[in-house]
Amino acid sequence: MSQTLKAVRGTRDLLPPETALWNRIESTARSVFARYNFGEIRTPVFEDTALFARSVGEETDIVSKEMYTWEDRARAQSEKTQTLTLRPENTAGVVRAYIEHKLGETGQLQKLYYIGPQFRRERPQKGRYRQFSQIGAEVIGPPSAGSESPLRDAEVLEMLATLLDELGIKGWTLELNSVGSAADRERYNQTLREALIPLAPKMCVDCRRRAVTNPLRVLDCKVPEDQPIIETLPRIYDSLDEASKAHFAAVTATLDAAGVPYTRNHRLVRGLDYYTRTTFEFTHGGLGAQNALLGGGRYDGLSEAIGGPRAPGIGFAMGEDRLVLTLLAQELNQKSAPPQVDAYIAPLGESLNSAALALARELRHTGLYIELGEGSFRLKKSFEAADKTARSIVILGEDELQSGILTVKTFATGVQTKVPRAELAAFLAEPLKG
Ligand code: AMP
């Protein structure tokens, strides 16, 4: 016998009823984004590898070890063999599209959102997959359009607070920091590197390497023994210049005025190289080790780093898988929702199957949710199936078909009612009866 094939490690099938929750999350996100005047962008799932190397950064975990990359052989003389990568995140693709379509020339701020799969070869665990879905948005444009304004940062954060609240996520925390300008970061990197010289030998192997290659990453270390050492390191805020400090102060003042709660996290420097100034994460205690619901920040130099015009921006990416996990855990503590299906139609005998489909069609066209049974079932089996899926059962036998009077049983009340066919849709639409 041949071996059974399974979904690849780190990937999953999403099945009903859970997919209904995914759809609800996506439609809530679309509705909130529309109210803030964002439009949807859809970029390709794979891109030139160089895009990620130049934006996310060669030294990051994503680029150095997590990307799905392959040589895409030329199929014709006019083509050349390229190195391609499944997108590990979507900001780089959005900024590439912004440049490619010369969106900056409109002189307007571009407010774009996306929903779609991303791919990283990470070690799978709860809340961490190799294919996962992100819902994200970017605000990007020329400085003349106000793209550097701290108001944009605050508006994005306020929108996220609104979205999480509308999704019904309870108990989120907004963690906020500033990593300053590229020059500030360079200065801080230097300060950190010097501070780490005497300390690194006492730290984990990763930190010893990062102390040399990318000292900022030391702040992400999760090894418990390293934590007291990391607490003694200089803080990035003290390396910020006056302009970056003023920008951050304006972001926090605007959030305060809007009543959006946040906490300062001096170690939040994020795993991607392109961030400047504001960085943030929304975390949730119920998620365990992978506690970030979403992350984001400002990236004032990203467009130029990939060959575009000056186009400061700010954006975020939410882990849709983690929103689902959080909402499922919350719903576990609540009473399970009643069945969505309004009625189950039970034909009494196979000769009534086609009449049953015609009745189902009639009712579905009025907007009702209908499950169609099967005439070969005995009545008892139809009742059992109906009770599991629907709020009521409609019996369709030869007599009912001739007389046009149908028998409906409502499970919540146990009441059985005779209903003329012309009134059936209205009867079923009334939840207390149907
Ligand atoms: P990042 O693009 O790394 O800033 O991640 C943004 C958000 O995407 C995180 O806060 C997570 O919610 C989610 N995320 C990142 N990587 C994964 C993954 N491997 N599996 C599931 N969600 C992820």
Side-chain angles (χ1 to χ4, degrees), residues 89 120 122 127-129 132 134 270 272 292-295 317-319 321-322:
E89 58 95 58
R120 296 181 195 173
E122 297 200 81
R128 190 158 79 185
Y129 312 100
F132 57 99
Q134 286 185 334
R270 312 270 303 124
L272 295 77
L293 285 170
L294 68 98
M318 329 180 68
D321 306 69
R322 295 190 193 172

Side-chain angles (χ1 to χ4, degrees), residues 39-114:
E40 184 178 6
I41 181 168
R42 300 186 187 196
T43 66
V45 165
F46 55 86
E47 301 261 3
D48 195 323
T49 304
L51 174 65
F52 304 113
R54 278 157 64 184
S55 57
V56 177
E58 300 271 11
E59 251 305 311
T60 59
D61 284 353
I62 295 179
V63 173
S64 65
K65 54 188 188 206
E66 293 171 2
M67 295 203 301
Y68 287 95
T69 296
W70 70 99
E71 282 271 289
D72 204 52
R73 272 181 296 122
R75 304 228 13 215
Q77 288 223 304
S78 56
E79 282 184 74
K80 55 183 194 312
T81 293
Q82 281 181 296
T83 306
L84 304 180
T85 294
L86 284 180
R87 61 184 186 199
E89 58 95 58
N90 221 146
T91 300
V94 172
V95 177
R96 183 213 28 81
Y98 172 92
I99 298 166
E100 192 167 330
H101 301 284
K102 300 190 169 53
L103 299 181
E105 290 178 12
T106 62
Q108 303 290 313
L109 215 50
Q110 301 294 312
K111 298 165 81 175
L112 303 165
Y113 79 87
Y114 58 83

